[in-house]
Amino acid sequence: MAAEPDLLSARLALGWLIGGEWRFHPARFLITAVAIAVGVALGFAVHLVNGSALASFDGAVRGVNGAAELSVRATSPLGIDERFYPRVTRAAGVTDASPVVRLDARIGKAGLTLLGIDVIRAGAVTPSLVGLPPRGPDAGSDAVFDEASLFLSRAALVHMRIAVGARVDVAANGRTVSLRIAGTLPAADADAAIGVMDIAAAQWRFGRLGRIDRIDLALADRQTAEASLAKLLPADAILSTAEARGAQGSALSRAYRVNLDMLALVALLTGGFLVYSAQSLSVARRQRAFALLRTLGMPRGGVVAAVVVEGLAIGIVGAVAGLGMGYGLAWAALHWFGGDLGAGYFNGGTARVVFQPVAAVRFFGLGLLAAVLGSAILRVPLRAPSPLRR
């Protein structure tokens, strides 16, 4: 009795079975592949948008904070009384302190974070926030102290399409002030849209006299400084670090990220169900073909393999298309709505899509798994027909 051929010997029959079905019913397989692609695209896009937004937000926080070790930050938009500043400078564990006024400003239609700093103090605490005037025989070194001078980060200059030396109208806190762009902030984060001017000019021209928004600190001993400052803090101020701000941004966006992830999961499960439905119809229609192949000697696993290979092909096509669609959706979302999809969680930076290979492999695998499971759980007829009896 001849031995039953193995799965590899039946590859021609498998190719005929799969190829014929795809040629005669391409729309059914295309729809199932699109369903898988939509699920993968939504999940991958949400992951890319979130990762890119958090990376941009962290960069913006570092740029605006100037890499300060610790900051005393106002909890109210009105800021804190500037008379609190001398007490902070005398606290144990603090070696230097730099007062900062922070305003949400606009130049035309473009938004940026406007900081008023004490240049001398900032040079010792947060040197990345000190502006650099252009070099040349006519360039003066006193521009950083000029009340009409504004220094912009490179991201702000590029986004607003303006150059050093131009005069711009800056709107903040209900007031509009004409300032001259006196230089750049070369040490600022590449994605942070920020502007820096003299703190006294910022307080005077934008109606913040006697108020500051934070105090950046250089420390000799962090634990000692935190303990001593905790006793001095008024009710409208807290201690803050860049790490804490980044964690706060992640926590604020967690709800919408979970909701979108669940939407992507539902879409992926729907895609798996569509694969199951399409493959069920395909199996029911090809029962005679399966019976003929079993009669001709195809092994028992060959029929199941044919259906699973079809699901695998659908999963590969859908998952690859989904990754491309997901990247495009992430780019469009960041470009048109921002990293928080308009929710207002991430301000002060321009998010760019950051491709994540590990996430791509993970979502490719999920799409493949949904398609293969949708095919593998089918009840496929495995028995060959009995010979006719006379």
Side-chain angles (χ1 to χ4, degrees):
M1 184 175 180
E4 186 178 34
D6 58 17
L7 185 59
L8 292 179
S9 66
R11 61 183 180 275
L12 293 179
L14 288 174
W16 166 77
L17 188 65
I18 297 172
E21 184 69 12
W22 281 53
R23 283 194 303 272
F24 287 103
H25 302 280
R28 181 177 291 112
F29 289 96
L30 182 61
I31 291 173
T32 54
V34 168
I36 294 294
V38 169
V40 173
L42 286 176
F44 189 50
V46 169
H47 196 86
L48 286 181
V49 167
N50 176 62
S52 301
L54 287 178
S56 175
F57 181 74
D58 289 341
V61 168
R62 289 193 302 270
V64 172
N65 286 349
E69 298 179 62
L70 189 68
S71 297
V72 176
R73 190 178 302 273
T75 58
S76 166
L78 299 177
I80 55 179
D81 194 324
E82 66 179 13
R83 290 176 294 182
F84 178 62
Y85 168 67
R87 299 176 60 192
V88 172
T89 61
R90 295 191 295 268
V94 176
T95 58
D96 213 333
S98 173
V100 179
V101 170
R102 184 188 185 281
L103 296 165
D104 291 326
R106 301 194 70 83
I107 298 179
K109 296 182 179 180
L112 76 159
T113 300
L114 179 63
L115 303 178
I117 64 171
D118 182 329
V119 175
I120 296 177
R121 298 272 64 84
V125 181
T126 53
S128 62
L129 296 181
V130 177
L132 181 66
R135 297 180 180 180
D138 297 329
S141 59
D142 58 346
V144 292
F145 301 103
D146 187 353
E147 65 183 28
S149 293
L150 174 67
F151 295 84
L152 294 179
S153 64
R154 297 189 185 278
L157 288 172
V158 172
H159 184 59
M160 299 171 192
R161 297 180 181 179
I162 50 180
V164 174
R167 295 198 71 88
V168 293
D169 291 330
V170 182
N173 200 34
R175 300 189 180 189
T176 301
V177 177
S178 178
L179 300 174
R180 182 180 65 87
I181 302 176
T184 61
L185 301 170
D189 188 88
D191 294 328
I194 61 176
V196 171
M197 63 185 298
D198 180 67
I199 187 171
Q203 289 177 309
W204 169 44
R205 294 198 164 199
F206 292 103
R208 297 298 303 278
L209 289 175
R211 311 299 292 182
I212 55 178
D213 292 286
R214 77 170 193 258
I215 304 172
D216 294 331
L217 306 175
L219 308 176
D221 188 317
R222 180 164 180 169
Q223 291 184 346
T224 302
E226 289 180 345
S228 60
L229 290 170
K231 301 175 182 179
L232 299 175
L233 289 179
D236 57 353
I238 59 171
L239 290 177
S240 176
T241 63
E243 293 81 4
R245 290 276 292 169
Q248 181 185 15
S250 178
L252 286 173
S253 65
R254 184 175 294 116
Y256 93 91
R257 283 186 282 125
V258 171
N259 289 335
L260 292 177
D261 283 336
M262 291 304 297
L263 177 62
L265 181 60
V266 170
L268 198 56
L269 290 176
T270 302
F273 176 75
L274 288 177
V275 172
Y276 173 80
S277 300
Q279 292 292 77
S280 297
L281 293 174
S282 176
V283 168
R285 189 176 54 254
R286 291 182 291 175
Q287 285 191 13
R288 292 184 178 181
F290 289 142
L292 177 60
L293 291 176
R294 288 288 291 124
T295 302
L296 294 176
M298 176 175 282
R300 298 173 62 86
V303 177
V304 177
V307 178
V308 173
V309 168
E310 286 180 350
L312 182 66
I314 292 172
I316 292 174
V317 173
V320 171
L323 292 179
M325 290 168 57
Y327 189 88
L329 284 174
W331 181 89
L334 291 174
H335 180 74
W336 294 107
F337 303 108
D340 51 11
L341 304 182
Y345 298 126
F346 306 119
N347 295 318
T350 302
R352 297 179 296 178
V353 180
V354 179
F355 184 76
Q356 302 174 36
V358 176
V361 172
R362 184 183 303 126
F363 283 101
F364 179 85
L366 286 175
L368 209 60
L369 181 64
V372 170
L373 287 179
S375 300
I377 62 177
L378 292 172
R379 297 190 58 170
V380 182
L382 297 178
R383 290 187 179 182
S386 303
L388 295 177
R389 296 182 180 178
R390 295 183 180 179

